[in-house]
Amino acid sequence: MNIPDKKTDSTSVIFRNDPIKALREKSRSTLDLDSNWLITLSDVLSLLLVFFVMFMVTAKTAAKSQTPPLDTGKDAISSEKKSASLSENETILTDVNAEIKNLNLENEVSVHRTSKAIVITLKEKVTFKPGEAEVLSASEPILDHIAQLIQRYPSFLVEIEGHTDNMPIKTAVYPSNWELSVARSTGVLKYFIGRHGISPSRLSIKGSADQKPVASNDTPEDRAQNRRVEIKLKENDS
C-alpha cells in the first residue's frame, strides 16, 4: 500500500490512483481555458463594432451639418434676377405707353406683357402702305423710341414678327403673304440696325402671314387689326 507524502497534494494522489479521472479533469480545464479566450475575443469584437457604428453616425452628422445648402445661393440669385426683370418690364411698359400717348398713337400702337416677352404692336396704317414693306415716316418716332429702349436694356433680345390678313396677294415682289410678312419684319430690323446701330446679334425676324390673326378677318376693320408688326422684347436667359 502506497502512503502519500505529506507534502504531496491530495489531488495528485487521486490522479495517480485514477488516471482516467485525471485525464477527464485535465480536458475540462483545457476547454475552460479555450472558452475563456473566445469569450474575451467576442467582447472585443462587439466593442469594436459599437465604436465603428458610433463613428459612422457621428461622421455623417458632422458632414451633413457642415455641407452648405447648394441651391440656396442659386435660388437667391434667381429670385433677385426675376425681381429685377419684373421691375424692368414694368418700367418699359410704362415708358412705351407714355410715348404712345405723347405721339397720339393710341389707336395704332399698343403694348402688353406676356409670360415671356413685352410685345409692342404696330398696325399697318402707321408702318406700311398696303402691299408694301418700306417703313413709313409716320412710324419713325415710335420706332426711334423703341430703339432707345432696346439700347437701354441690353439684357433683352428682340424678335420682330410680321403679320398679314387672309386676303391673297400676288405681285412681282411678293408672290404671297408669306414673303410680305417677312419683308415687313425685315424692314423694321434694317431700320434698327441702319438708323440706330443696334447689334444684329440681338435681333431676329419672323414672317407668319395670316396664320396668327387677332381678329376674325370677316370685316375690313378686323383685317386691319391682323395686318401688323409685333416687336417682342425677350429676356436673354443665357
Side-chain angles (χ1 to χ4, degrees), residues 149-166:
L149 288 175
I150 295 171
Q151 292 171 325
R152 192 183 307 164
Y153 298 98
S155 63
F156 284 90
L157 299 178
V158 183
E159 179 184 279
I160 307 164
E161 185 172 6
H163 302 268
T164 69
D165 60 24
N166 66 344

Side-chain angles (χ1 to χ4, degrees), residues 93-112 120-123 125-126 138 142 225:
L93 283 171
T94 302
D95 194 320
V96 175
N97 275 318
E99 187 64 15
I100 291 171
K101 185 175 181 179
N102 181 55
L103 296 172
N104 296 317
L105 292 174
E106 292 96 328
N107 295 327
E108 309 301 332
V109 183
S110 63
V111 59
H112 69 278
I120 305 169
T121 302
L122 293 83
K123 294 181 181 179
K125 183 178 179 180
V126 74
I142 189 64
Q225 292 187 54

Side-chain angles (χ1 to χ4, degrees), residues 8-117:
T8 304
D9 186 36
S10 60
T11 303
S12 300
V13 174
I14 294 173
F15 289 166
R16 285 198 297 269
N17 293 336
D18 191 347
I20 295 176
K21 186 174 182 180
L23 182 61
R24 188 184 302 118
E25 290 296 332
K26 187 175 182 181
S27 298
R28 185 181 294 114
S29 176
T30 303
L31 289 174
D32 289 341
L33 290 173
D34 292 342
S35 299
N36 287 339
W37 78 262
L38 286 173
I39 292 171
T40 302
L41 179 61
S42 176
D43 291 341
V44 171
L45 291 176
S46 297
L47 287 173
L48 287 175
L49 179 61
V50 170
F51 283 127
F52 178 75
V53 172
M54 292 179 64
F55 173 78
M56 292 299 294
V57 172
T58 305
K60 283 188 176 181
T61 303
K64 186 175 182 180
S65 63
Q66 293 176 4
T67 302
L70 297 179
D71 294 336
T72 302
K74 292 182 180 179
D75 291 342
I77 293 173
S78 177
S79 178
E80 291 178 2
K81 185 176 180 180
K82 186 175 181 180
S83 298
S85 177
L86 290 174
S87 177
E88 288 181 351
N89 289 345
E90 290 297 333
T91 301
I92 293 172
L93 283 171
T94 302
D95 194 320
V96 175
N97 275 318
E99 187 64 15
I100 291 171
K101 185 175 181 179
N102 181 55
L103 296 172
N104 296 317
L105 292 174
E106 292 96 328
N107 295 327
E108 309 301 332
V109 183
S110 63
V111 59
H112 69 278
R113 185 176 65 192
T114 68
S115 60
K116 297 181 179 180

Side-chain angles (χ1 to χ4, degrees), residues 157-196:
L157 299 178
V158 183
E159 179 184 279
I160 307 164
E161 185 172 6
H163 302 268
T164 69
D165 60 24
N166 66 344
M167 300 298 290
I169 181 175
K170 187 174 183 180
T171 67
V173 181
Y174 309 115
S176 72
N177 282 323
W178 288 104
E179 285 84 1
L180 178 60
S181 63
V182 172
R184 286 182 168 180
S185 60
T186 302
V188 175
L189 176 139
K190 288 181 175 180
Y191 186 88
F192 285 153
I193 295 174
R195 186 70 65 91
H196 294 277

